[in-house]
């Protein structure tokens, strides 16, 4: 049986963070751009400011698996993709099974090879809520979608423009259907599209490639299909989730940070919620200064699509609210069951309960170091934040969860005065 290195983070809390932090490039834009770069059948795409995270490495592996030549120059955060030859329509199980964004490679495979096969997907997936908007959209554009026991096979001799809609403004759904429509002759209109800043960055990338897309940011996107897309150079926008996590790191430790590459415009409601809690922001030219001096106040949060409170920051703000004076109410509306953090925070001495699909946080509590589990990326980074504020040592595992979406967490936090390290252990799965 193969062994794989497992990592865990050890955090000893109590240091107010100070200094300058460099916000990484946006994961949820970069992943889509890697997939979109396969739409260009000549030339080389250069993506800059690509975050050095595990999800990007998975996307690179997928692009390579279908035949693209991809080099990730990690030190330069630059990715070079040459997709002149795609050789396989199969997105292999060992990656696709644990990487939901695999479906983003379907449009390029359909346009380039006339078919795409996603392996390792459970039989119920097609009819389930999670990716149905994507498959329905491909079908309306003229593809046939066949669900096997553990495989989905999508075929299309030629996609054609059509009127599409999303039941809810799905972030990846919007991007994926735009990619599918970009090379489909005729006009595609997509109703109820997502307005996240990353969606706009993906539109700007596709437009540079030669796509004809209008209506970004309005909720209704029109795509006029073009003959060909070309390989271009693009700098990925900064990651607003990473930026807000560092703002919360300043807040939870009572410190002061200068964020390079953060824009308050991308925070949406998150800005106002953090200000209500007592976090102070000041934009100093291109630098965003964040500090927290007063006691934290409790907060009510309801997650919703941009510019509402980002679901990806629900866990981090739950961690922060354990220190706030009073009762906080946090309601998740995008992903059911995103409350796995509750049990872990309670291991650290927090008093959080879930009732009527909301988390109720009774603060303030003094957090105490404990061994805790990162059930997903965002609960993992929330536990790192909690560990920064806790007495004693907090051990967060598996580290892979955090490394999926946040780059060089230990190194960046250490520079700011945190006492954190990442350790390798060898586990047998
Ligand atoms: N949904 C469906 N059917 C679909 C697509 C979505 O029912 O075909 C439902 C989902 O189950 C969910 C809701 O619609 O309840 C919203 O899902 P959405 O499609 O907007 O999410 P996503 O595009 O799959 C992206 C990010 C997530 C982020 C959400 C919301 C990427 C790769 N992922 O997911 O990021 O939470 O948008 O903003 O862009 C993360 O970074 O930790 C993360 C989970």
């Amino acid at each position: 049986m193969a062994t794989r290195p497992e990592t865990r983070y050890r955090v000893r809390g109590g240091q107010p963070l100070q200094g300058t932090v460099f916000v990484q490039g946006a994961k949820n834009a970069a992943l889509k751009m890697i997939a979109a770069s396969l739409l260009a059948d000549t030339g080389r795409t250069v993506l800059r400011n690509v975050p050095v995270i595990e999800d990007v490495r998975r996307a690179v592996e997928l692009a390579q698996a279908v035949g693209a030549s991809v080099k990730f120059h990690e030190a330069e955060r630059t990715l070079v993709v040459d997709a002149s030859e795609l050789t396989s329509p199969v997105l292999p199980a060992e990656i696709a099974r644990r990487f939901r964004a695999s479906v983003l490679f379907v449009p390029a495979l359909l346009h380039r090879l006339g078919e795409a096969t996603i392996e390792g997907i459970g039989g119920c997936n097609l009819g389930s809520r999670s990716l149905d908007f994507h498959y329905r959209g491909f079908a309306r554009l003229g593809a046939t979608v066949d669900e096997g026991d553990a495989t989905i096979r999508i075929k299309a001799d030629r996609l054609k423009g059509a009127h599409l809609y999303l039941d809810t403004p799905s972030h990846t759904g919007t991007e994926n259907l735009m990619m599918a429509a970009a090379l489909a002759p005729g006009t595609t209109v997509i109703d109820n599209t997502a307005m996240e800043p990353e969606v706009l960055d993906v539109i700007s990338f596709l437009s540079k490639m030669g796509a004809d897309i209008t209506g970004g940011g309005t909720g209704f996107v029109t795509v006029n299909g073009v003959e060909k897309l070309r390989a271009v150079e693009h700098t990925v926008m900064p990651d607003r989730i990473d930026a807000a996590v560092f703002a919360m790191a300043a807040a939870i430790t009572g410190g002061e940070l200068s964020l390079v590459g953060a824009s308050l415009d991308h925070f949406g409601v998150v800005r106002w919620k953090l200000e209500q809690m007592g976090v102070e922001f000041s934009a100093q030219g291109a630098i965003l200064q964040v500090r927290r001096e007063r006691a934290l106040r409790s907060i009510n949060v309801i997650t919703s699509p941009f510019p509402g409170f980002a679901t990806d920051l629900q866990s981090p703000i739950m961690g922060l609210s354990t220190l706030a004076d009073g009762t906080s109410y946090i309601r998740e509306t995008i992903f059911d069951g995103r409350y796995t953090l509750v049990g872990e925070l309670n291991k650290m001495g927090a008093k959080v309960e879930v009732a009527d699909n909301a988390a109720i946080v009774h603060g303030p509590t003094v957090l105490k170091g404990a061994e805790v589990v990162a059930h997903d990326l965002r609960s993992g980074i929330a536990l790192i934040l909690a560990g920064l504020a806790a007495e004693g040592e907090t051990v967060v595992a598996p580290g892979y969860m955090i490394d999926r979406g946040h780059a060089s967490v230990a190194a960046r936090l250490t520079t700011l005065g945190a006492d954190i390290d990442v350790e390798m252990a060898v586990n047998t799965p």
Side-chain angles (χ1 to χ4, degrees):
M1 190 179 282
T3 55
R4 68 189 155 91
E6 191 60 273
T7 55
R8 61 176 76 103
Y9 284 91
R10 285 185 184 275
V11 193
R12 289 153 296 268
Q15 313 295 325
L17 300 190
Q18 306 281 345
T20 300
V21 59
F22 293 85
V23 175
Q24 71 186 38
K27 166 176 90 74
N28 290 344
L31 295 175
K32 327 306 167 61
M33 292 172 190
I34 295 169
S37 66
L38 271 51
L39 292 163
D41 60 7
T42 50
R44 281 188 275 180
T45 298
V46 176
L47 287 174
R48 298 193 183 278
N49 201 29
V50 177
V52 182
I53 54 175
E54 291 299 332
D55 272 11
V56 164
R57 295 191 177 116
R58 296 300 83 75
V60 168
E61 286 165 12
L62 268 187
Q64 290 168 335
V66 297
S69 153
V70 188
K71 287 229 159 54
F72 190 10
H73 302 275
E74 296 195 354
E76 291 78 17
R77 289 173 289 126
T78 299
L79 196 74
V80 181
V81 183
D82 182 340
S84 334
E85 279 186 51
L86 295 189
T87 50
S88 165
V90 180
L91 298 164
E94 58 273 23
I95 308 169
R97 187 180 294 124
R98 59 200 165 103
F99 186 54
R100 195 165 173 270
S102 304
V103 71
L104 288 159
F105 288 78
V106 170
L109 293 173
L110 287 182
H111 284 300
R112 301 285 307 280
L113 303 176
E115 59 178 311
T117 299
I118 312 183
E119 287 184 347
I121 285 191
C124 63
N125 217 64
L126 187 57
S128 81
R129 289 192 66 235
S130 61
L131 292 170
D132 52 338
F133 306 164
H134 301 246
Y135 296 118
R136 266 208 327 261
F138 297 145
R140 283 176 83 98
L141 290 168
T144 53
V145 182
D146 287 321
E147 181 191 13
D149 278 350
T151 304
I152 293 183
R153 191 164 283 118
I154 305 144
K155 287 196 172 179
D157 289 338
R158 190 86 210 245
L159 296 176
K160 281 203 199 72
H163 200 135
L164 313 179
Y165 64 92
L166 296 163
D167 292 15
T168 59
S170 162
H171 186 162
T172 307
T174 301
E175 294 154 331
N176 217 4
L177 296 180
M178 289 189 309
M179 288 197 271
L183 287 171
T187 299
T188 296
V189 176
I190 316 172
D191 288 351
N192 201 20
T193 44
M195 295 191 265
E196 271 71 13
E198 296 80 13
V199 176
L200 303 190
D201 202 26
V202 171
I203 292 178
S204 123
F205 177 66
L206 288 168
S207 302
K208 266 190 206 171
M209 291 179 77
D212 178 354
I213 302 176
T214 51
T218 67
F220 300 89
V221 163
T222 301
V223 185
N224 288 306
V226 295
E227 281 278 305
K228 195 172 167 64
L229 294 174
R230 56 183 172 271
V232 295
E233 177 166 352
H234 187 80
T235 300
V236 178
M237 66 175 285
D239 194 312
R240 66 195 161 100
I241 307 299
D242 191 61
V245 161
F246 276 93
M248 292 193 212
I252 206 163
T253 61
E256 177 162 6
L257 295 178
S258 300
L259 306 186
V260 180
S263 160
L264 275 179
D265 293 342
H266 295 163
F267 276 39
V269 166
V270 171
R271 173 207 180 147
W272 310 114
K273 291 293 169 181
L274 289 176
E275 286 187 345
Q276 282 171 36
M277 291 184 85
V279 181
E280 294 168 49
F281 291 102
S282 64
Q284 314 213 325
I287 304 273
L288 181 63
Q289 203 78 20
V290 191
R291 67 175 178 173
R292 197 266 296 176
E293 288 182 331
R294 290 172 299 160
L296 285 164
R297 290 185 289 265
S298 58
I299 196 72
N300 290 343
V301 164
I302 178 160
T303 62
S304 59
F306 189 82
F309 194 96
T311 172
D312 296 338
L313 292 168
Q314 185 259 104
S315 293
I317 206 166
M318 190 190 295
L320 185 59
S321 67
T322 62
L323 266 62
D325 192 9
T327 303
S328 295
Y329 294 86
I330 298 174
R331 188 175 295 279
E332 173 62 53
T333 68
I334 309 287
F335 291 111
D336 319 339
R338 231 185 186 185
Y339 292 127
T340 54
L341 180 63
V342 170
E344 306 307 316
L345 283 176
N346 288 346
K347 286 183 196 164
M348 298 178 72
K351 296 189 188 70
V352 190
E353 53 182 321
V354 179
D356 296 331
N357 202 32
I360 305 166
V361 186
H362 303 281
T365 41
V366 176
L367 295 176
K368 299 215 165 40
E371 290 207 6
V372 287
V373 179
H375 293 282
D376 60 47
L377 158 60
R378 305 306 178 182
S379 67
I381 197 71
L383 288 165
I384 299 279
L385 293 182
L388 291 171
E391 289 174 355
E393 185 175 82
T394 300
V395 181
V396 188
Y400 177 82
M401 282 297 174
I402 295 158
D403 302 337
R404 282 189 52 200
H406 291 283
S408 313
V409 167
R412 284 191 294 163
L413 286 170
T414 300
T415 311
L416 306 174
D419 186 355
I420 177 170
D421 45 63
V422 57
E423 92 186 1
M424 298 279 262
V426 176
N427 286 346
T428 306

